[in-house]
Amino acid sequence: MTEQTWHELSRPLPEWFAKAKFGIFIHWGAYSVPAWAEPIGALGEIADDDTWFAHNPYAEWYFNTIRIEGSPAQAHHREQYGDAPYDEFLDQWKAERFDPAEWAKLFAEAGADYVVPTTKHHDGIALWDAPGTGARNTVRRGPQRDLIGDIAGAVRAEGLRFGVYYSGGLDWSVTDLPPQRSGEQVHSLRPNDAAYNYYALAHVRDLIDRYRPDVLWNDIEWPDAGKHRGPDGLYELFEDYYAANPDGVVNDRWGDTHYDFATTEYSAMSENEAKDVWENTRGLGWSFGFNRLESPAQTLDSAQLAQHWVDVVSKGGRLLLNVGPTAEGVIPERQQQSLRGFGDWKRALGDAAEATERRDPSLPSNGLWRREWWTPSERIVFVDATGEHRLDGAGVDAERSRVLTGDAVVERDGDEAVVRVAGTDGGPVAVAMARR
């Protein structure tokens, strides 16, 4: 298909998504039982080679990592579980403490606009009674629940938008390919045939029919056999999705086809920040799935989360922040604390993020971190350190300022606006000055 053909799917961005600046991602699966990965660092900061894949910090990649000969994950698996196959974790995953209403309440308190749970990750286990999966899903085994339906109902009851993640690019359960050991192999060792296209297509269509998601968040790629305009093709799927939900949006991980918004992951794919609509995703730690090896030092606290979110929004993006529940269905307390503290800090900003206009985020202030948002009526300055911060006062009225978070005062000194910060409170100090 030509680029022009895919372009025909373009349409105005739905208003809700244009305003939405904070979402919650959920990675929960059979991999949450071992919950084991080496916390070596963040994606984009480590070489894309055997170092990353053999020591993968993503706990949700456990099924792949334990198949890499000589990997520490393989050694750990043999020590703890012997020669037990991965699918035994599905039967051990009981979700006995899962309370979707409590999850949704937490996400609302954190100030989320939308929630996107994994429906099928690369291990191929579906979190709903997906067609063609037989008993290999959470309705027939393990939790014996439609986890996606439970999450969808609870999230919408809190007034949040609901989306779905689906791994169209990888499914280790439908191939006998060797494990991926590099980024290149992630794409070269993936199912591309017509049979897998029909299988994945039936899943995504079922997700659309059952749950009417506002976001279709595909991962890695889409089978090449399905990238066409005819029956059972990806073009037709997009058309039918938009017809079923005119407010729906799709991400950019369907191969070189169509998307409503681009994505970055941690610091990887940062070139997508130059695009008109984009989203950054990352975990609170270095893994998406729950990793029992991660420490507080590797987890964003509420202030660090606030700073990261402000940075993303200042560059014109939105943040999809991941939580990784335990196999029992509990969001770890450390993650809950970060979300609640962030929500308390964020609440003082009101709906300013919704109206933010894109500006250059590179704004040093006496060598300290500083970011700015510009709304139609205000310039909002964020700083994360005490002391004096001098700003170009052009276009603002420093006398008409509001301190939104923290302890600060604003004065005019000639052509400059001076922000004097006495203390922070759970996140960067935010000062709003009226635009002239």
Coordinates of all heavy atoms in Angstrom, one line a residue, residues 1 6 168-169 187 190-201 221-237 254-257:
M1 N 0.8 -1.2 0.0 CA 0.0 0.0 0.0 C 0.9 1.2 0.0 O 1.9 1.3 0.6 CB -0.9 0.0 1.2 CG -2.0 -1.1 1.3 SD -3.0 -1.0 2.8 CE -3.8 0.5 2.5
W6 N -2.6 5.1 3.2 CA -2.7 5.2 4.6 C -3.1 6.6 5.1 O -3.9 6.8 6.1 CB -1.4 4.8 5.3 CG -1.0 3.4 5.1 CD1 0.0 2.9 4.4 CD2 -1.7 2.2 5.7 NE1 0.0 1.5 4.5 CE2 -1.0 1.1 5.3 CE3 -2.8 2.1 6.5 CZ2 -1.4 -0.2 5.6 CZ3 -3.2 0.8 6.9 CH2 -2.5 -0.3 6.4
G168 N 0.6 -7.2 18.9 CA 0.4 -7.7 17.5 C 1.7 -8.2 16.9 O 1.7 -9.0 16.0
G169 N 2.8 -7.6 17.4 CA 4.1 -7.9 16.7 C 4.8 -9.2 17.2 O 5.5 -9.9 16.4
H187 N 12.4 -7.7 15.2 CA 11.6 -7.5 14.0 C 11.8 -8.7 13.0 O 10.9 -9.0 12.3 CB 11.9 -6.2 13.4 CG 11.4 -5.0 14.2 ND1 10.1 -4.6 14.1 CD2 12.0 -4.3 15.1 CE1 10.0 -3.6 14.9 NE2 11.1 -3.4 15.6
R190 N 9.7 -12.5 14.1 CA 8.3 -12.3 14.6 C 7.4 -12.9 13.6 O 7.7 -13.1 12.4 CB 8.0 -10.8 14.7 CG 8.1 -10.0 13.4 CD 7.8 -8.5 13.6 NE 8.0 -7.7 12.4 CZ 7.0 -7.5 11.5 NH1 5.8 -8.0 11.7 NH2 7.3 -6.8 10.4
P191 N 6.2 -13.3 14.0 CA 5.3 -14.0 13.0 C 4.7 -13.0 12.0 O 4.2 -11.9 12.4 CB 4.2 -14.5 14.0 CG 4.2 -13.6 15.2 CD 5.7 -13.3 15.3
N192 N 4.8 -13.3 10.8 CA 4.3 -12.4 9.7 C 3.3 -13.0 8.7 O 2.9 -12.4 7.8 CB 5.6 -11.9 8.9 CG 6.2 -10.7 9.4 OD1 5.5 -9.7 9.7 ND2 7.5 -10.7 9.6
D193 N 3.0 -14.3 9.0 CA 2.2 -15.0 8.0 C 0.7 -14.7 8.1 O 0.2 -14.0 9.1 CB 2.4 -16.5 8.2 CG 2.0 -16.9 9.6 OD1 2.7 -16.5 10.6 OD2 1.0 -17.6 9.8
A194 N -0.1 -15.1 7.1 CA -1.5 -14.9 7.1 C -2.2 -15.5 8.2 O -3.2 -14.9 8.8 CB -2.1 -15.4 5.7
A195 N -1.8 -16.7 8.7 CA -2.5 -17.3 9.8 C -2.4 -16.5 11.0 O -3.4 -16.3 11.8 CB -1.9 -18.7 10.0
Y196 N -1.2 -15.9 11.3 CA -1.1 -15.1 12.5 C -1.9 -13.8 12.4 O -2.5 -13.3 13.3 CB 0.3 -14.8 12.9 CG 0.5 -13.9 14.1 CD1 0.0 -14.4 15.3 CD2 1.1 -12.7 14.0 CE1 0.1 -13.6 16.4 CE2 1.2 -11.9 15.1 CZ 0.7 -12.3 16.4 OH 0.8 -11.5 17.5
N197 N -2.0 -13.3 11.2 CA -2.8 -12.1 10.9 C -4.2 -12.3 11.3 O -4.8 -11.5 12.0 CB -2.6 -11.6 9.5 CG -3.6 -10.4 9.2 OD1 -3.5 -9.4 9.8 ND2 -4.5 -10.6 8.3
Y198 N -4.8 -13.4 10.8 CA -6.2 -13.8 11.1 C -6.4 -13.9 12.6 O -7.4 -13.5 13.2 CB -6.6 -15.0 10.4 CG -6.7 -14.9 8.9 CD1 -6.1 -15.9 8.1 CD2 -7.3 -13.8 8.3 CE1 -6.2 -15.7 6.7 CE2 -7.4 -13.7 6.9 CZ -6.8 -14.7 6.1 OH -6.8 -14.5 4.8
Y199 N -5.4 -14.6 13.3 CA -5.5 -14.8 14.7 C -5.5 -13.5 15.5 O -6.3 -13.2 16.3 CB -4.2 -15.7 15.1 CG -4.1 -16.0 16.6 CD1 -4.9 -17.0 17.1 CD2 -3.2 -15.4 17.4 CE1 -4.8 -17.4 18.5 CE2 -3.0 -15.8 18.7 CZ -3.9 -16.8 19.3 OH -3.7 -17.2 20.6
A200 N -4.5 -12.6 15.2 CA -4.4 -11.3 15.9 C -5.6 -10.4 15.5 O -6.1 -9.7 16.4 CB -3.1 -10.7 15.5
L201 N -6.0 -10.5 14.3 CA -7.1 -9.6 13.9 C -8.4 -10.0 14.6 O -9.1 -9.1 15.0 CB -7.3 -9.8 12.3 CG -8.4 -8.9 11.7 CD1 -7.9 -7.4 11.7 CD2 -8.7 -9.4 10.3
E221 N 4.8 -4.2 16.2 CA 4.5 -4.3 14.8 C 3.1 -4.9 14.5 O 2.4 -5.2 15.5 CB 5.6 -5.1 14.0 CG 6.6 -4.3 13.3 CD 6.1 -3.9 11.9 OE1 4.9 -4.1 11.6 OE2 6.9 -3.3 11.1
W222 N 2.8 -5.1 13.2 CA 1.7 -5.9 12.8 C 2.2 -6.9 11.8 O 3.1 -6.5 11.0 CB 0.6 -5.0 12.3 CG -0.7 -5.7 12.1 CD1 -1.3 -6.2 10.9 CD2 -1.6 -6.2 13.1 NE1 -2.5 -6.8 11.1 CE2 -2.7 -6.8 12.5 CE3 -1.7 -6.0 14.5 CZ2 -3.8 -7.4 13.2 CZ3 -2.7 -6.6 15.2 CH2 -3.8 -7.2 14.6
P223 N 1.6 -8.1 11.7 CA 2.1 -9.1 10.7 C 2.0 -8.5 9.3 O 0.9 -7.9 8.9 CB 1.2 -10.3 10.9 CG 0.0 -9.8 11.8 CD 0.6 -8.7 12.6
D224 N 3.1 -8.7 8.6 CA 3.1 -8.1 7.2 C 2.0 -8.6 6.3 O 1.5 -7.8 5.5 CB 4.5 -8.4 6.6 CG 5.6 -7.7 7.2 OD1 5.4 -6.8 8.1 OD2 6.8 -8.0 6.9
A225 N 1.5 -9.8 6.5 CA 0.5 -10.3 5.7 C -0.8 -9.6 5.8 O -1.7 -9.7 5.0 CB 0.2 -11.8 6.0
G226 N -1.0 -8.8 6.9 CA -2.2 -8.0 7.1 C -2.2 -6.6 6.8 O -3.1 -5.9 6.9
K227 N -1.0 -6.1 6.2 CA -0.9 -4.7 5.9 C -1.4 -4.4 4.5 O -0.7 -4.1 3.6 CB 0.6 -4.3 6.0 CG 1.1 -4.4 7.5 CD 2.6 -4.0 7.5 CE 3.2 -4.2 8.8 NZ 4.7 -4.0 8.8
H228 N -2.7 -4.5 4.4 CA -3.3 -4.2 3.1 C -4.7 -3.6 3.3 O -5.3 -3.5 4.4 CB -3.4 -5.5 2.2 CG -4.2 -6.6 2.9 ND1 -5.5 -6.7 2.9 CD2 -3.7 -7.7 3.5 CE1 -5.9 -7.7 3.5 NE2 -4.9 -8.4 3.9
R229 N -5.4 -3.3 2.2 CA -6.6 -2.6 2.2 C -7.8 -3.5 2.0 O -9.0 -3.2 2.2 CB -6.7 -1.5 1.1 CG -7.9 -0.6 1.2 CD -7.7 0.7 0.4 NE -8.8 1.6 0.6 CZ -8.7 2.9 0.3 NH1 -7.6 3.4 -0.2 NH2 -9.7 3.7 0.5
G230 N -7.5 -4.8 1.7 CA -8.6 -5.7 1.4 C -9.3 -6.3 2.6 O -9.0 -5.9 3.7
P231 N -10.2 -7.3 2.4 CA -10.8 -7.9 3.6 C -9.8 -8.5 4.5 O -8.7 -9.1 4.0 CB -11.6 -9.0 2.9 CG -11.9 -8.5 1.5 CD -10.6 -7.8 1.1
D232 N -10.0 -8.4 5.8 CA -9.1 -8.9 6.8 C -7.7 -8.2 6.8 O -6.7 -8.7 7.3 CB -8.9 -10.4 6.7 CG -10.2 -11.2 6.9 OD1 -11.0 -10.8 7.7 OD2 -10.4 -12.1 6.1
G233 N -7.7 -7.0 6.3 CA -6.5 -6.2 6.3 C -6.5 -5.1 7.4 O -7.6 -4.8 8.0
L234 N -5.4 -4.5 7.6 CA -5.2 -3.5 8.7 C -6.0 -2.3 8.4 O -6.6 -1.6 9.3 CB -3.8 -3.2 8.9 CG -3.4 -2.3 10.1 CD1 -3.9 -2.9 11.4 CD2 -1.9 -2.2 10.2
Y235 N -6.0 -1.9 7.1 CA -6.8 -0.6 6.7 C -8.3 -0.8 7.1 O -8.9 0.1 7.7 CB -6.6 -0.4 5.2 CG -7.1 0.9 4.8 CD1 -6.3 2.0 4.5 CD2 -8.5 1.1 4.5 CE1 -6.7 3.2 4.1 CE2 -9.0 2.4 4.1 CZ -8.1 3.4 3.9 OH -8.6 4.6 3.4
E236 N -8.8 -1.9 6.8 CA -10.2 -2.2 7.1 C -10.4 -2.2 8.6 O -11.5 -1.7 9.1 CB -10.6 -3.5 6.5 CG -12.1 -3.9 6.7 CD -12.4 -5.3 6.2 OE1 -11.9 -6.3 6.8 OE2 -13.1 -5.4 5.1
L237 N -9.5 -2.8 9.4 CA -9.6 -2.8 10.8 C -9.7 -1.3 11.4 O -10.5 -1.0 12.2 CB -8.4 -3.5 11.4 CG -8.4 -3.5 13.0 CD1 -9.5 -4.2 13.6 CD2 -7.0 -4.0 13.5
W254 N 2.2 -0.1 14.5 CA 1.6 -1.0 13.6 C 2.5 -1.2 12.3 O 2.0 -1.6 11.3 CB 0.2 -0.5 13.2 CG -0.7 -0.2 14.3 CD1 -0.7 0.9 15.0 CD2 -1.8 -1.0 14.8 NE1 -1.7 0.9 16.0 CE2 -2.4 -0.3 15.9 CE3 -2.3 -2.3 14.5 CZ2 -3.5 -0.8 16.6 CZ3 -3.3 -2.8 15.2 CH2 -3.9 -2.0 16.3
G255 N 3.7 -0.8 12.4 CA 4.6 -0.8 11.3 C 4.4 0.5 10.5 O 3.8 1.5 11.1
D256 N 4.9 0.6 9.3 CA 4.9 1.8 8.6 C 3.5 2.0 7.9 O 3.4 1.8 6.7 CB 6.0 1.8 7.5 CG 6.1 3.2 6.8 OD1 5.5 4.2 7.3 OD2 6.8 3.2 5.8
T257 N 2.5 2.3 8.7 CA 1.1 2.3 8.2 C 0.5 3.6 8.6 O 0.8 4.7 8.1 CB 0.3 1.1 8.7 OG1 0.3 1.1 10.1 CG2 0.9 -0.2 8.2

